[in-house]
Amino acid sequence: MVRNDGVGAASSGLRGGALEPRVPPAVADALAGASDADVRAFLLDEMQLDERMAMRFVARFGEQDIAVRKKGLRSELASVRKEYARGGFIDYRDSWDFASEYHGVLESYLEPLAQRGDVDALFALLDVALMHFRGVHIDDSNGFVTDTLNMLSAYYEQAFSATPADCVPARICDVCKLADKIEGAQREGDFDDLIAPELRFVPARLFAGNPQFAAEIVGLADERIACLRPRAQHEREELQRRWPSLAQKAPETKTTSDYEAARWALVRMEAMESLGEGVAALREFAHPFFDDSSVLVAFADACSRAGEPRAAVADLEAGTNDSRLGPGSVDSVRLRLLDAYVACGMDAELREQLRAMLQAEQLPFRGPSAAELLTRYRATVSAESWPQIREELFAGMRNLYTLCDCLLAEGMPERVYQIAKDEERFNVGRYQDALLQIDAPFVLAWHKRRVLRGFEDAYDRKGYRRKTKELAYLLDLPGGKDAVREVADELRARYPRKAALLDELAKAGL
């Protein structure tokens, strides 16, 4: 069972599924000065008192049969859970310490086996770890579930990578059976809905591009997609039953099963490519999944690799107008369409798409900047016609900041300055460097108004300290010292009884 009490999920400090070693300098110095015999004697004494430490030592350096290792891992994980669980549940106050110890136990048992390439033992212990992990009831504010799942997935990948080729199909079958078992035993509140899909996906992700196992992955993908499609429809019907108003607005709302099916579609496409299937076969399979932008973009990439980029153009164009795709997904399709137009030499279509993007309400999220899009457009027209075309583009731009970015890219800061003067709520700070060269007092006056408004909204010492730092920033601007003194004097006159504000100004020397 996972619960998030609203404490934002923070980075847990786990990288690649394992904790970074954190040895205090004093310990490192003491270890460097101790002899091997002293260290050995110390370990023997400590392991007589600490059974868990003794079990970890044996797991790392000793030779054991699989049954003993499984028993030891199960015992240690249960001991860590018992130590931190209050009433069977681990709340956010203990979740970080619990995660540190839990991952330490997993690493001490799994890492030596992974390094030695002991595949049978590694698979056996991973199954034990996974089944125990299912029973952890925790507030997941610090991302324990995701970190643990990533860690176990990484070890499963290592185990599969070290598996002899003739044993891979049987191992895939075993893992899928375990996933089915987990899914079949799922209880309300468990996070089996995360574990089972990830477990099946590990070998698929690993072997989809390998022609030797691609047929196996195609079969696995077909099996999962056949299972997920009706489940997605059921989830939509349940959504409509519970929230009719939401369902009416978005009758094709994507569900978790839809996204998982698209993920398997991507794997199947990779396997099909590795089996040498052509673009026509890829499209026949992928077309029902084109309501997911990642599948549509992956199909376009496959067409490019096959030397047939034009085969994806019509589908990409349809995707830019697909109501089933959200704004971010449409943006990713548009960006991929630009590359397709370039690869096909379709300059007229490229210009039309660039114009639509530049004159839209918002630029593509995490896409090229307005200046980059403008540069791409300019490369498709002659130098003589560019000035007129540029003004037509500028006239149709609906986003003020897109227009200003393009004006600066074209060396027209004076027009940006005029817009900044005319628009009351314009963000002068965004174009500060260029505007300082034209009218530094104007920029300074804007910053003064902004800082004063900030102090009006602040209500405690923390807010005053933050705004005081912003005020001190003006010292680096031309004429900033006088402006800062004026603002500080105005604040003292305005708020003579706000002791915390006056104290923060004094501390900053303002």
Side-chain angles (χ1 to χ4, degrees):
M1 179 177 70
V2 184
R3 188 177 75 200
N4 192 321
D5 288 339
V7 183
S11 172
S12 66
L14 297 165
R15 296 188 181 177
L19 288 169
E20 291 185 354
R22 292 177 293 179
V23 179
V27 174
D29 293 342
L31 188 61
S35 67
D36 292 348
D38 289 341
V39 172
R40 183 183 296 273
F42 173 79
L43 286 173
L44 287 172
D45 290 342
E46 290 300 311
M47 284 189 285
Q48 289 178 4
L49 302 173
D50 190 335
E51 184 180 356
R52 283 172 57 189
M53 180 179 178
M55 293 176 71
R56 287 197 199 182
F57 186 85
V58 174
R60 181 170 288 273
F61 300 106
E63 290 295 334
Q64 295 177 315
D65 61 30
I66 294 176
V68 174
R69 289 181 183 276
K70 289 167 67 174
K71 181 179 179 182
L73 176 59
R74 195 178 289 114
S75 173
E76 282 210 55
L77 292 177
S79 177
V80 174
R81 182 173 61 185
K82 183 178 179 181
E83 180 180 346
Y84 288 97
R86 303 176 184 179
F89 184 80
I90 301 163
D91 69 18
Y92 74 91
R93 291 169 294 182
D94 297 319
S95 60
W96 166 252
D97 291 334
F98 168 76
S100 299
E101 286 207 38
Y102 197 87
H103 288 105
V105 171
L106 288 175
E107 187 179 11
S108 68
Y109 276 82
L110 300 176
E111 187 60 29
L113 299 177
Q115 290 181 0
R116 290 205 299 264
D118 192 343
V119 174
D120 291 337
L122 185 54
F123 270 113
L125 263 65
L126 278 168
D127 293 350
V128 169
L130 198 65
M131 298 306 286
H132 187 277
F133 169 52
R134 294 178 58 231
V136 175
H137 302 279
I138 187 171
D139 180 318
D140 195 34
S141 299
N142 78 338
F144 166 78
V145 171
T146 301
D147 287 333
T148 307
L149 198 54
N150 288 341
M151 181 183 191
L152 294 176
S153 295
Y155 278 119
Y156 268 112
E157 284 200 10
Q158 290 185 59
F160 270 112
S161 298
T163 300
D166 58 337
C167 298
V168 166
R171 287 294 187 192
I172 293 176
C173 184
D174 290 343
V175 165
C176 290
K177 285 181 180 178
L178 179 60
D180 292 339
K181 178 181 176 182
I182 291 172
E183 206 164 52
Q186 182 175 341
R187 300 177 297 273
E188 186 70 26
D190 285 345
F191 42 84
D192 291 346
D193 59 334
L194 300 176
I195 295 174
E198 181 61 26
L199 187 57
R200 291 191 191 94
F201 204 72
V202 168
R205 180 174 59 230
L206 196 61
F207 296 116
N210 187 329
Q212 187 175 359
F213 307 111
E216 187 87 19
I217 302 306
V218 166
L220 180 59
D222 286 341
E223 178 186 323
R224 293 311 306 156
I225 291 169
C227 176
L228 290 164
R229 274 307 178 89
R231 185 185 299 176
Q233 183 58 36
H234 174 73
E235 289 171 356
R236 265 189 295 277
E237 291 171 357
E238 186 67 15
L239 179 69
Q240 291 175 358
R241 186 183 68 79
R242 292 188 179 185
W243 296 284
S245 60
L246 178 62
Q248 288 170 5
K249 293 179 182 177
E252 294 298 321
T253 301
K254 301 287 282 292
T255 69
T256 302
S257 295
D258 283 315
Y259 287 114
E260 189 182 344
R263 194 182 183 199
W264 279 103
L266 291 170
V267 166
R268 194 189 194 281
M269 290 168 66
E270 184 181 354
M272 291 172 70
E273 271 197 272
S274 68
L275 291 172
E277 298 198 35
V279 167
L282 282 171
R283 187 184 186 281
E284 182 180 358
F285 164 75
H287 188 265
F289 298 93
F290 281 174
D291 59 344
D292 187 292
S293 62
S294 61
V295 176
L296 180 52
V297 170
F299 172 68
D301 292 341
C303 291
S304 294
R305 287 191 292 271
E308 302 179 43
R310 193 177 289 271
V313 168
D315 291 311
L316 288 169
E317 288 175 337
T320 62
N321 298 306
D322 193 334
S323 60
R324 299 171 298 174
L325 299 179
S329 297
V330 171
D331 285 343
S332 66
V333 173
R334 285 183 192 225
L335 293 173
R336 185 61 186 82
L337 181 57
L338 294 182
D339 295 334
Y341 283 150
V342 171
C344 298
M346 302 170 68
D347 286 350
E349 291 82 357
L350 176 61
R351 283 194 294 273
E352 189 60 34
Q353 192 60 228
L354 286 168
R355 178 185 293 271
M357 294 170 73
L358 284 166
Q359 295 182 344
E361 292 281 352
Q362 297 290 335
L363 287 175
F365 182 61
R366 291 181 180 173
S369 67
E372 290 171 327
L373 293 175
L374 192 71
T375 299
R376 294 182 73 168
Y377 194 107
R378 182 172 52 195
T380 67
V381 300
S382 65
E384 295 77 15
S385 62
W386 175 239
Q388 180 181 346
I389 293 173
R390 179 181 62 193
E391 290 306 317
E392 292 173 359
L393 277 173
F394 289 167
M397 288 183 181
R398 291 183 285 170
N399 186 296
L400 197 62
Y401 296 113
T402 299
L403 172 59
C404 290
D405 289 345
C406 290
L407 288 170
L408 280 185
E410 290 295 298
M412 302 177 180
E414 295 81 5
R415 291 175 65 172
V416 177
Y417 172 58
Q418 192 58 49
I419 292 172
K421 287 172 62 178
D422 295 341
E423 296 290 333
E424 183 179 352
R425 301 179 67 83
F426 188 81
N427 183 3
V428 173
R430 178 167 175 162
Y431 305 100
Q432 175 176 293
D433 292 342
L435 297 179
L436 281 172
Q437 306 300 318
I438 300 172
D439 191 346
F442 170 75
V443 176
L444 203 57
W446 179 84
H447 276 297
K448 285 170 61 178
R449 292 193 301 273
R450 179 182 61 84
V451 171
L452 283 170
R453 282 196 303 268
F455 274 106
E456 290 172 4
D457 296 335
Y459 58 87
D460 59 6
R461 182 177 290 274
K462 184 177 179 181
Y464 298 144
R465 185 178 300 123
R466 184 170 61 252
K467 294 304 172 183
T468 300
K469 289 180 179 178
E470 291 183 20
L471 178 59
Y473 164 76
L474 303 189
L475 291 170
D476 296 328
L477 300 179
K481 292 182 179 179
D482 292 338
V484 168
R485 185 173 61 253
E486 291 172 10
V487 172
D489 290 344
E490 184 172 344
L491 289 170
R492 291 189 181 93
R494 255 196 224 183
Y495 308 111
R497 304 181 70 174
K498 290 189 175 183
L501 186 155
L502 300 178
D503 185 43
E504 290 302 322
L505 290 174
K507 285 180 180 177
L510 303 178

